[in-house]
Amino acid sequence: MIEDLVNVFVYGTLMRGERNHRVVKGHMLSTEPGTLTGILYNISEHYPALILDEQGFDVEGEWMTVHESALKEMDRLEGYNGPGKHNFYERVWVKDLHKEIEGWVYVWESSSKNIENYSMITTGIGKTVNFIKFT
């Protein structure tokens, strides 16, 4: 059986060189830089959360092409239990800001979180932000 491939935009600990990359490494066929528009929040000392917002910043990350089975592993890591269920992150379909690529991304739904309790990540140049490597 040939497994379907999907694109997933990652912006934190699933990126190459980060501590949770091992979750997708064996499922990944390719990776390329990408950009979405939103706001990154530092929700712990270990990982960020993205809220999609057209008035936000350019958030740099990586598009990974993975086997569909990788989504189950990523869902587990991101606390995604399925549509309409209690989820830590939601998985939504997005399009890259500059490229002809689209796929899944794990995001926070701002209406369900107390975002005022978290600091915004504002690293980068101008209106571009990216994940800070946490130790």
Side-chain angles (χ1 to χ4, degrees):
M1 180 173 118
I2 298 175
E3 193 173 355
D4 288 338
L5 301 176
V6 294
N7 294 318
V8 181
F9 183 85
V10 297
Y11 53 86
T13 64
L14 284 168
M15 291 172 56
R16 289 175 294 161
E18 294 297 332
R19 64 186 171 88
N20 286 322
H21 181 70
R22 61 179 163 61
V23 171
V24 293
K25 188 175 183 178
H27 302 279
M28 189 174 64
L29 275 70
S30 65
T31 176
E32 65 178 281
T35 308
L36 297 180
T37 303
I39 301 172
L40 280 179
Y41 285 90
N42 180 9
I43 60 171
S44 89
E45 60 187 51
H46 301 293
Y47 52 90
L50 173 66
I51 293 178
L52 296 174
D53 184 338
E54 291 181 10
Q55 303 302 311
F57 301 95
D58 291 356
V59 177
E60 294 180 339
E62 296 174 341
W63 282 104
M64 295 183 173
T65 301
V66 298
H67 292 285
E68 194 168 34
S69 60
L71 284 178
K72 290 180 184 177
E73 298 297 320
M74 296 169 85
D75 287 349
R76 188 175 300 116
L77 176 71
E78 303 292 5
Y80 178 74
N81 300 301
K85 296 187 178 180
H86 179 71
N87 298 310
F88 188 75
Y89 287 93
E90 296 295 330
R91 181 164 36 99
V92 299
W93 194 261
V94 293
K95 293 182 180 183
D96 190 271
L97 186 61
H98 305 295
K99 299 178 180 181
E100 292 294 321
I101 187 169
E102 57 187 76
W104 296 109
V105 65
Y106 293 91
V107 299
W108 253 18
E109 293 293 331
S110 59
S111 61
S112 64
K113 310 295 181 192
N114 295 322
I115 60 173
E116 65 276 359
N117 295 330
Y118 303 98
S119 59
M120 199 181 308
I121 298 173
T122 57
T123 61
I125 301 170
K127 283 194 58 92
T128 300
V129 296
N130 48 40
F131 172 63
I132 305 169
K133 289 190 178 201
F134 294 103
T135 54

